[in-house]
Amino acid sequence: MIDIICFSTTPWDPIPTRKQQIMKRMPQNCRIFYLDPPVTLIGPLKDPSLRPYLTRFRKSPKRIKENLFVFALPPIIPFYNKKRAINKFNQKMIANFVKEVIYQNFDLKSPIIWTYMPNTVDLLEHLSYSFLVYDCIDKHSEFQGFIDKALVESMEDELAQKSNVVFTTTQGLYNKLKQLNAHTYLVPNGAEFEHFNRASNKLPVPDKMKNIPHPIFGFVGVIHTWIDTQLIEYLAKEKREWSFVLIGPVGAGVSVDNLKKLSNVYLLGRIDHRDLPQYVSQFDVCLNLFRTNKLSENVSPLKFYEYLATGKPIVSTSMPQVEEFSDVVYIGKNYEDMLVKCIQALQEAQNPNIEKIEKRIEYAKQTSWDSRVAQIIEILKREGINIE
């Protein structure tokens, strides 16, 4: 049995991301301990929805399946990405919790530590482990908030150097970390192909969309600070006859007040993951709208791969991970060009191009989570992990 402790940047519920997709596909000879990220003691002041996380660590783990457990961590002191001393204190506390609750109760000796968080470098000295995996999915130093960019960069560099294997989701991240660790591999994000491919068919119209007129330009995902809401506003004002449907919660600190004022913008909020294909099947065009900055340059957008599985026309802002699919995706270089690309994509939606549809779906098959995890497992085998 191979034990894996996964330090994640996102909770297991409610939105599945790369972390959940990989961990739930690990072979049966792996026992997975998935750790939701801790909230800070002042986190609920900024986002009240975080309040339950302050005490969740006291509850029993959630068992997802026979070999996969989800744990909550105790709250931590804020400003850990500004002061290394604070991070060291937090990580020692987390390590003690993990030893007491997981190592002792499940008889762990030297598990694999699989982390998504640069700051976990400071807990390594407090936990025994046999193998270290750093799965780098973002340019962490470019996130907004209380961070010292140089500090975050230095923690990531140190973590990469100490790791036995480093995975990255984009070429930019790979180029940087490969210089620090020769055992660095590029494995971009993927899609739940079968799930989202259902949206390639016309499914029943959900109640929330019955009164939304076509054509529908749709977006799925959390509306974070890195989503270009000003671009959505621009497009919606330029084309009042189009409907813009945004599915997903609004992130903390993000204002969508201007979008709410527009009669052709529909903010549907969070929709259960199981029901998403039914909603996406109503889209005429799928939108991938990241702001153009250092962060988006190093993002492998999950929603993009899910859109590919639908076969529908996709309009995207320019991103390195999207450019390789430029033969089937409409990529805009600026606001005006995005409008032109939306018009072109709508023309395709109204006069379907079977060749493009089939090619998008084929790309999605090649980038499914099953194929991504198979690639990861092969790499781990080559690096000495007896995983089946």
Side-chain angles (χ1 to χ4, degrees):
M1 180 67 71
I2 297 172
D3 290 320
I4 299 175
I5 297 182
C6 176
F7 290 90
S8 178
T9 53
T10 53
W12 184 269
D13 293 315
I15 300 174
T17 65
R18 177 185 179 93
K19 284 78 74 174
Q20 297 95 320
Q21 300 291 0
I22 291 175
M23 289 301 140
K24 71 183 181 182
R25 286 174 172 79
M26 281 289 124
Q28 282 299 309
N29 73 326
C30 295
R31 194 166 50 159
I32 313 295
F33 302 91
Y34 184 101
L35 306 184
D36 284 353
V39 299
T40 67
L41 292 168
I42 63 171
L45 296 177
K46 185 178 180 182
D47 183 358
S49 68
L50 296 176
R51 191 166 290 119
Y53 286 90
L54 291 175
T55 56
R56 193 165 289 178
F57 71 98
R58 296 190 183 124
K59 299 178 181 178
S60 299
K62 180 178 180 180
R63 192 166 195 169
I64 305 299
K65 56 181 186 175
E66 174 121 11
N67 65 328
L68 201 162
F69 304 84
V70 176
F71 290 80
L73 292 172
I76 58 176
I77 298 173
F79 312 118
Y80 54 89
N81 276 333
K82 284 187 77 70
K83 298 291 183 183
R84 188 75 181 258
I86 294 176
N87 189 61
K88 286 179 177 290
F89 175 86
N90 284 339
Q91 296 303 319
K92 184 176 182 180
M93 179 182 64
I94 288 172
N96 288 337
F97 175 85
V98 169
K99 281 191 286 190
E100 182 180 336
V101 174
I102 301 178
Y103 276 62
Q104 292 182 19
N105 291 338
F106 291 86
D107 193 29
L108 268 66
K109 298 294 188 279
S110 293
I112 293 173
I113 290 182
W114 191 306
T115 184
Y116 290 85
M117 306 174 75
N119 58 3
T120 53
V121 68
D122 285 333
L123 65 69
L124 298 177
E125 63 182 292
H126 305 293
L127 291 177
S128 61
Y129 61 94
S130 59
F131 199 87
L132 177 61
V133 176
Y134 174 38
D135 195 358
C136 180
I137 61 172
D138 283 304
K139 181 78 170 170
H140 294 280
S141 59
E142 293 299 327
F143 283 115
Q144 297 181 8
F146 299 109
I147 74 167
D148 178 325
K149 290 187 178 185
L151 173 60
V152 175
E153 287 273 0
S154 67
M155 288 193 292
E156 178 171 78
D157 291 354
E158 189 178 331
L159 177 62
Q161 289 168 336
K162 290 182 175 180
S163 294
N164 298 95
V165 166
V166 176
F167 295 117
T168 66
T169 54
T170 69
Q171 190 68 47
L173 295 172
Y174 172 84
N175 291 343
K176 175 183 181 289
L177 297 179
K178 181 73 171 179
Q179 298 177 47
L180 299 171
N181 190 321
H183 302 272
T184 297
Y185 301 89
L186 174 60
V187 183
N189 283 330
E192 287 180 273
F193 176 78
E194 291 80 7
H195 187 59
F196 284 94
N197 183 244
R198 289 174 51 214
S200 63
N201 302 306
K202 266 297 176 190
L203 301 177
V205 182
D207 289 342
K208 286 186 176 183
M209 294 188 71
K210 282 183 175 173
N211 297 319
I212 299 177
H214 287 267
I216 294 174
F217 288 74
F219 168 90
V220 177
V222 180
I223 305 174
H224 278 302
T225 54
W226 48 84
I227 300 301
D228 198 340
T229 52
Q230 283 83 13
L231 174 55
I232 300 169
E233 183 182 351
Y234 165 79
L235 295 171
K237 286 180 175 178
E238 288 292 319
K239 289 292 185 179
R240 300 277 182 174
E241 69 274 23
W242 295 352
S243 297
F244 292 84
V245 172
L246 311 182
I247 295 174
V250 179
V254 177
S255 173
V256 291
D257 291 345
N258 286 345
L259 296 179
K260 289 179 179 178
K261 296 173 185 174
L262 300 172
S263 61
N264 60 333
V265 175
Y266 303 84
L267 292 146
L268 302 189
R270 177 178 284 141
I271 300 297
D272 193 293
H273 183 72
R274 293 171 298 180
D275 300 327
L276 281 178
Q278 188 179 351
Y279 283 79
V280 178
S281 74
Q282 314 310 318
F283 294 178
D284 295 293
V285 176
C286 302
L287 297 174
N288 183 57
L289 307 178
F290 279 74
R291 297 184 188 278
T292 303
N293 55 29
K294 290 279 189 184
L295 183 62
S296 63
E297 282 178 15
N298 293 285
V299 167
S300 178
L302 273 171
K303 62 183 67 62
F304 174 75
Y305 299 102
E306 294 164 355
Y307 293 158
L308 283 175
T310 72
K312 294 178 180 290
I314 304 167
V315 177
S316 176
T317 47
S318 181
M319 304 173 68
Q321 293 302 305
V322 173
E323 293 287 348
E324 62 183 286
F325 301 96
S326 60
D327 56 332
V328 295
V329 178
Y330 299 89
I331 302 173
K333 303 302 181 184
N334 52 49
Y335 279 22
E336 292 75 18
D337 193 30
M338 284 293 291
L339 180 58
V340 171
K341 294 303 191 291
C342 284
I343 293 171
Q344 293 173 353
L346 181 57
Q347 289 171 345
E348 186 201 324
Q350 293 168 339
N351 300 281
N353 183 322
I354 302 302
E355 184 181 346
K356 278 191 173 182
I357 292 170
E358 290 178 347
K359 200 164 187 181
R360 289 186 194 109
I361 291 173
E362 183 56 35
Y363 277 145
K365 285 180 182 176
Q366 295 170 8
T367 60
S368 70
W369 278 120
D370 288 342
S371 66
R372 298 299 200 207
V373 173
Q375 182 183 355
I376 286 171
I377 289 172
E378 282 306 309
I379 291 169
L380 291 176
K381 285 180 179 178
R382 293 203 304 268
E383 294 288 351
I385 297 298
N386 185 26
I387 195 167
E388 297 296 341

